[in-house]
Amino acid sequence: MTEILVLRHKIHGMVADRYADALRERLPDTPVRLARTPDQERDLVTDATVVTGSSFAPALFDHAEDLELFASTYAGYDHLPLSEFRDNGIALTTASGVHGPNIAEYVLGAWLSMARGFLTARRQQRDRVWQSFQADDFAGSRVCVVGMGAIGTAVLDRLDGFDIETVGVRHSPEKGGPADEVYGYDDLHTALADARYVALACPLTEETNGLLDADVFRTLHAETVLVNVARGPVVETDALVSALRRNHIGGAVLDVTDPEPLPEDHPLWNFENVLITPHNAGHTPSYYDRLADIVAENVERARETGSWDGLRNQIDLH
């Protein structure tokens, strides 16, 4: 019989009990156990077919005798022991797609807030200043989304009705997507050249590490608003600071930074055209429900096929 073990973890302050309950609702005939201590993790992992959590301690491999699947509660997986999963024949899935709706709302909210001057309005309200200021139109602009996975696609899907031109950048541009134009990373400068609003929603890989460097900031329009919901190192921080100081971009909304957390004395805190949030765009009260849907679907699929392969959000470890 399949048994599921939920490891100790929290997602944006939400306790794992809610996740375990969501799994029980979807899989009423499957034992779902919640480990609350390291000792319980070591004891309960022995009989677990599926383990789910934000990380997997290497010491657990010695006890995971029946483990077939580790279902990560994060979309990213670079922090996990991938080679050990592969060597032990353990499948790996992620939470990809769980963040799509809420992070897409974050990106659109960020763009609209910058276009309509909400940061200026907030400063004036704080200082009790009644003074008209100029704003921009979001409609009629060119928007570029770098990364067309679940999050990037969700952003592009929500741009219908805004009367804008959309451009997407992805590793395999031949796959297309919900954008007026789709480019590969080799054509990044072309995709960004006339964009007034840019969102980074790509994974952090060797290809995307430092993707937005000083050369790219020279290509960006002086009024471009950059939103980063990918990973901090996708942007070269020194190059971003330099572009802001020289007034070479219109502003930035950063949910991720490099370094992270951002030190209190970092210059990024001091720009009036920069909004920083604490890696919080992924928060949604529906997180565990959406994640439980993915895990339950994969458990049911494995029951039907007799194989822990071909699963939703499965990572190719080979």
Side-chain angles (χ1 to χ4, degrees):
M1 170 183 271
T2 301
E3 292 194 11
I4 299 176
L5 172 61
V6 179
L7 300 178
R8 299 169 298 141
H9 72 278
K10 301 180 185 71
I11 301 291
H12 297 292
M14 296 185 295
V15 296
D17 302 62
R18 292 175 55 182
Y19 181 30
D21 289 342
L23 288 168
R24 293 183 184 111
E25 289 176 3
R26 288 155 178 78
L27 297 166
D29 298 326
T30 302
V32 177
R33 310 188 192 286
L34 174 61
R36 300 183 182 278
T37 67
D39 287 342
Q40 288 183 355
E41 288 182 341
R42 285 192 296 270
D43 291 342
L44 295 175
V45 76
T46 302
D47 299 319
T49 314
V50 177
V51 172
T52 181
S54 57
S55 62
F56 192 89
L60 292 179
F61 283 107
D62 294 334
H63 305 272
E65 300 173 0
D66 298 324
L67 184 57
E68 299 284 356
L69 169 67
F70 181 74
S72 175
T73 56
Y74 289 159
Y77 54 89
D78 53 295
H79 65 291
L80 294 172
L82 304 182
S83 59
E84 287 85 349
F85 285 147
R86 182 192 64 233
D87 294 343
N88 286 276
I90 300 168
L92 170 64
T93 59
T94 71
S96 179
V98 168
H99 308 83
N102 43 291
I103 295 186
E105 291 174 0
Y106 176 100
V107 172
L108 265 65
W111 281 336
L112 292 170
S113 294
M114 297 295 278
R116 302 311 304 168
F118 285 173
L119 294 186
T120 299
R122 183 60 176 173
R123 285 194 299 271
Q124 292 187 181
Q125 179 181 345
R126 179 194 61 204
D127 297 333
R128 294 176 175 82
V129 174
W130 183 281
Q131 182 181 14
S132 179
F133 58 85
Q134 294 182 338
D136 293 321
D137 287 331
F138 186 61
S141 59
R142 179 180 172 96
V143 169
C144 180
V145 177
V146 180
M148 295 178 65
I151 293 172
T153 298
V155 173
L156 289 164
D157 285 341
R158 283 157 177 77
L159 291 173
D160 289 344
F162 278 100
D163 187 26
I164 58 175
E165 180 184 1
T166 58
V167 179
V169 178
R170 66 186 310 168
H171 180 73
S172 303
E174 65 275 7
K175 293 182 179 179
D180 297 326
E181 303 172 44
V182 179
Y183 293 91
Y185 284 103
D186 290 343
D187 294 317
L188 180 66
H189 287 265
T190 301
L192 294 176
D194 295 318
R196 295 299 186 271
Y197 298 92
V198 175
L200 303 178
C202 52
L204 178 61
T205 64
E206 291 185 5
E207 185 176 29
T208 63
N209 193 354
L211 184 69
L212 262 66
D213 56 12
D215 193 36
V216 171
F217 280 110
R218 282 192 288 271
T219 294
L220 288 173
H221 193 278
E223 296 176 0
T224 296
V225 173
L226 171 68
V227 178
N228 190 4
V229 291
R231 288 291 185 268
V234 173
V235 178
E236 286 191 0
T237 302
D238 290 345
L240 171 60
V241 170
S242 178
L244 289 163
R245 283 176 170 162
R246 296 166 180 261
N247 204 27
H248 286 179
I249 64 170
V253 180
L254 309 173
D255 189 54
V256 290
T257 59
D258 183 26
E260 187 176 305
L262 197 65
E264 293 181 5
D265 60 351
H266 200 280
L268 280 174
W269 289 114
N270 301 320
F271 293 102
E272 291 190 347
N273 59 341
V274 173
L275 175 63
I276 297 171
T277 55
H279 207 141
N280 204 58
H283 172 65
T284 166
S286 301
Y287 196 105
Y288 283 142
D289 287 323
R290 295 175 188 167
L291 182 57
D293 286 340
I294 295 172
V295 176
E297 176 185 327
N298 285 334
V299 169
E300 296 287 8
R301 183 176 299 180
R303 284 175 176 165
E304 293 173 1
T305 64
S307 170
W308 294 93
D309 199 11
L311 305 178
R312 179 177 171 187
N313 289 354
Q314 185 165 2
I315 301 303
D316 184 358
L317 297 174
H318 298 282

